[in-house]
Amino acid sequence: MRKVSTRVSGTKASSKKTTPAPSPAKANAARLAKLGIRHDFDLVLHLPLRYEDETRLTPIAEAAPGIPVQVEGTVKSTEIVYRPRRQLLSRIADSSGELVLRFFNFYGSQAKALASGATVRAFGEVRTGFFGGEMAHPRFRVLREQAPLPSALTPIYPTTAGLSQAALRRSIEGALARVQLDDTLPPEMSGRLGLCGFREAVETLHHPRPGADPVSFRDSSAPAWRRMKFDELLAQQLSMRKHYRERKSRAAPVLARKGPHTAALIAGLPFRLTPAQRRSWEDIERDLAQPHPMHRLLQGDVGSGKTVVAVLAALRAVENGMQAAVMAPTEILAEQHFRKFSEWLAPLGVELAWLSGGQTRKEREAGRTAIASGKAKVALGTHALFQDRVAFRALGLAVVDEQHRFGVSQRLALRTKGADLHQLMMSATPIPRTLSMSYFADLDVSVIDELPPGRTPVVTKLFTDSRRAQVVKRIRDACMAGGQAYWVCPLIEESEQLQLQTALDTYAALSAELPELRVGLIHGRLKGAEKTRTMAEFKAGRIQVLVGTTVIEVGVDVPNASLMAIEHAERFGLAQLHQLRGRVGRGAVESVCVLLYQNPLGETARRRMSVIFENSDGFAIAREDLLLRGPGEFLGARQSGAPLLRFADLEQDADLLEAARTAAETLLSERPELAQRHLERWLGGRAHFLGA
Ligand code: ADP
Ligand code: MG
């Protein structure tokens, strides 16, 4: 990577020990670093955020509101007024009309420059203000002599405090002069895809030609933009597919023997596997029989029946003399898996070990010993429990449940750990196709796209919280008739303490309102053993109403519970609401999920409420969620501060994504040196979240 990219001038100076005051170059480098720019190529790829059309002057009278225009006029008057707050107002006029330039933050020198009689050129959006047409905070220039209009669009770059457009432009020009802009696509490939050359694209975007169509630059449909978007997507695909290929060249135990356990399990199930479950199991079976590690993502909506597929995979490992580890994100879920697995494995004589935070040290030691000796064939627990050294005798398969809880960046970071293991990742958050093709392109994917038959769809109701009492009454009636209910406490993201307090308050209130019922409480701060006891009592029907925080979001399976109320539903995300709602509708009776919300609803919250009300299909909800939140939030990548794709938009540029995927395969097979060079350019300087 050093070969291709010269370091940005200034960063080197930082290694010198004796520099008392930061030099301008060093300060510049620090600001560039803030933008993720470390190498010359990063500057080349630092592309404009937008373009402004300063090639034309618009007569003041013709400036339409809301559209950026450039006007030129003579200053009639300039004054500083103090009401409603300190501001500078400068009235200018051309032969067609008058316009006020309004500034709230200004220097005295600017006020002076705008003296009566001066000629000023201003760029901005006109709107109708108190004094008629006005421009707030325009970019402006006082013209001392005849100044010709620029002949091309002006690029405006994303920048950071203290780094002016001019300084940034100078740095970019310097880099453009230093680097090689040779193409990383073979000409026949760019020709076939109808893409322009790399050099042409870079030069055009930094220096649009005179007469270039401003619209295509603005909406980034210009050929130069398409080339850069393609290159960005290609870098992502190359990185992901390289990992994919590397994995296929590593060794893993061959789990090909079809022993008695899997067949016996399938024969003994109280139901028939759905066709989608069967297809997924066949995918897994095929992978496990290969001498390379499987990394397969099993996607399926809540309740689609992923667990039994995981049990089959674990049994296949056991049939081949190896062990399986099953990891869940929460204690509650791990415990549930333990029960479910025990129910299915015990009749087959397969021993399990169970590691829990709530166990005594002695119990945990016993579990560990059983795992180390190989007596326990399948081990279950939370991820945390597997993090501190658990020694397996012969671990062949790791199953990671509810993998979507961890975010893509975490997954990518862990990609090389357990490199010689088969891994089955399960996710109940359906991943829209474009995301799956990009950020999950290093995995193989199976989708369970149907629910087991005989489910009654959950009826969703939207109530304002003024109807809370009615909901409580309904829960009383249902529970008196033998039913059970969940009551989900409002989410308080800002404070775990407040969240806990709300849960306690809600629990107290409902206990008082429903004296004839047993109300239970479950939240993240409870001790493991207490959680276990409460869940067991709820499962056994001794607790009728379970008050909980979002800890019940994941995986909880109590078919008799057919009612759910979610308080302050407007605070939850779509994926969360969908997961929560998926806790009911698991039995034969019709289930109801009441979303209590508080008015007034914001725009996004209103959208979320209507999406969840109108849709029950997880994929449809996920697509809406992606549109509402964007890929960064959706993938849990935003917290890590990692930028996603900068230029390409997965939905809008889906055609380019398809093309990049094919191109990546071709390059990796036929032109690996070009693939390498392409990756170095795009991933060279930054810790970029393209999947590197
Ligand atoms: P999830 O995909 O959300 O993890 P689970 O594996 O917990 O779903 O399955 C939900 C419920 O459906 C469980 O009670 C499970 O036993 C049941 N189930 C799974 N597969 C089938 C099937 N093919 N037919 C009927 N019920 C099934
Ligand atoms: Mg599950």
Side-chain angles (χ1 to χ4, degrees), residues 269-275 277 298-310 333 336-337 340 343-344 401-402 426-428 448 450-455 539 554-559 579 582-583 586:
L269 284 176
F271 48 74
R272 283 165 58 94
L273 294 178
T274 61
Q277 281 173 315
L298 178 61
Q299 281 193 67
D301 211 341
V302 255
S304 61
K306 295 181 290 296
T307 318
V308 65
V309 177
L333 189 54
Q336 251 188 193
H337 276 333
K340 201 98 208 177
E343 203 178 290
W344 282 333
D401 197 14
E402 307 294 351
M426 305 202 283
S427 172
I448 305 185
E450 61 188 323
L451 294 180
R455 296 268 169 88
K539 191 138 199 170
V554 163
V556 174
D557 186 28
V558 179
Q579 292 285 327
R583 300 305 121 215
R586 304 194 147 226

Side-chain angles (χ1 to χ4, degrees), residues 174 295 357 393 462 656 690:
H295 278 195
R393 184 174 156 79
L462 280 176
L656 288 176
L690 286 167

Side-chain angles (χ1 to χ4, degrees), residues 131-174:
F131 303 102
E134 66 170 55
M135 262 187 197
H137 286 281
R139 276 200 300 126
F140 77 97
R141 189 149 73 99
V142 173
L143 304 178
R144 312 231 175 273
E145 57 216 50
Q146 277 293 329
L149 290 168
S151 57
L153 297 173
T154 313
I156 307 291
Y157 292 94
T159 188
T160 184
L163 187 63
S164 70
Q165 287 290 323
L168 191 49
R169 232 169 253 158
R170 272 195 305 278
S171 298
I172 292 171
E173 294 309 325

Side-chain angles (χ1 to χ4, degrees), residues 332 485-492 499-500 502-508 510 519-526 531 534-535 538 543 545-554 556 564-567 572 580 583:
I332 293 181
Y486 295 101
W487 188 283
V488 181
C489 298
L491 179 71
I492 300 173
Q499 170 84 67
L500 179 60
T502 317
L504 294 172
D505 293 348
T506 309
Y507 170 66
L510 282 173
V519 181
L521 172 66
I522 195 137
H523 56 74
R525 283 292 187 82
L526 281 187
K531 260 188 231 172
T534 307
M535 279 314 291
F538 186 58
I543 287 176
V545 181
L546 185 65
V547 176
T549 55
T550 47
V551 291
I552 64 165
E553 170 191 345
V554 163
V556 174
M564 173 175 279
I566 304 179
E567 255 189 297
F572 292 85
L580 283 166
R583 300 305 121 215

